[in-house]
Amino acid sequence: MTEQSLREWTVDEARSTASGTAAQGAAWLIAFGITLTIAAVLSFFLPLEVAVLVAVFQGGVALPLAFALERRLGTAPMAPDHPLRSLSIQLAMVQIVALPAVIMMYTQNPALVPAVFAAIGGAHFLPYVWLHQTKIYLYLALAVALGSWAITLAGGEAAYRWVMIWWPVCYAVAAALLWRRHRQLQASGQATD
């Protein structure tokens, strides 16, 4: 039993400590931004069908990279008995439920897979507005999801590469803003690592 379980939590305390242990989620956006960037570069050399599969399954590399990057950035893991631990895990994994839609789109029109996957990935950030107490996640969700569809509508099927470039650019901007916010909260004593 950790010290955390010996006391009562307020919702704001639980959210603040959850955000602090995750550096506001910046490590995750950096890791997924790196793997999505690699997928985007590879899309210029691989056939469409292979390139979009790389984009869909890049998370298999990004996930362990994100955990490693969190530790490298000096954030501590969330305690096993933290009151928001299970919710945080569920929020992070919710887009997996939509994977069948991505697979179905792949069988119909692989060129639309990046926009569909970006829309799902973007939408999964909406609950993070509440968890991390910042609108950065709202803007990220809207930019990734709606921006990807706007690119696809403007460029048609040939725009899939531009979606694959847009997506990690959004992640990079959000990661920088979230990392800055995390450092500011640490300096003011509001983030608990």
Side-chain angles (χ1 to χ4, degrees), residues 1-162:
M1 194 177 265
T2 67
E3 181 181 319
Q4 291 178 346
S5 64
L6 298 176
R7 66 180 179 87
E8 295 292 321
W9 287 82
T10 67
V11 172
D12 286 340
E13 285 175 327
R15 290 190 306 170
S16 294
T17 58
S19 290
T21 61
Q24 306 290 312
W28 291 83
L29 293 176
I30 292 167
F32 278 85
I34 289 168
T35 57
L36 285 167
T37 298
I38 292 168
V41 170
L42 290 175
S43 76
F44 288 93
F45 302 102
L46 299 172
L48 166 67
E49 293 79 8
V50 176
V52 297
L53 286 176
V54 169
V56 169
F57 293 107
Q58 52 72 37
V61 175
L63 188 64
L65 179 60
F67 282 122
L69 190 54
E70 266 188 337
R71 301 309 159 251
R72 185 86 171 135
L73 292 176
T75 59
M78 190 182 297
D81 58 346
H82 189 283
L84 294 180
R85 183 178 176 85
S86 63
L87 178 62
S88 296
I89 293 168
Q90 290 169 18
L91 292 177
M93 305 312 266
V94 73
Q95 72 256 20
I96 290 174
V97 176
L99 196 54
V102 174
I103 294 168
M104 188 172 64
M105 181 55 69
Y106 181 82
T107 65
Q108 299 300 309
N109 189 343
L112 296 180
V113 167
V116 170
F117 200 41
I120 293 165
H124 114 278
F125 289 123
L126 290 174
Y128 289 106
V129 175
W130 174 83
L131 180 65
H132 294 292
Q133 304 172 70
T134 177
K135 289 186 180 178
I136 294 169
Y137 279 104
L138 173 63
Y139 303 130
L140 176 62
L142 294 173
V144 170
L146 299 179
S148 296
W149 278 104
I151 291 167
T152 301
L153 288 173
E157 292 181 4
Y160 76 94
R161 285 188 182 107
W162 294 108

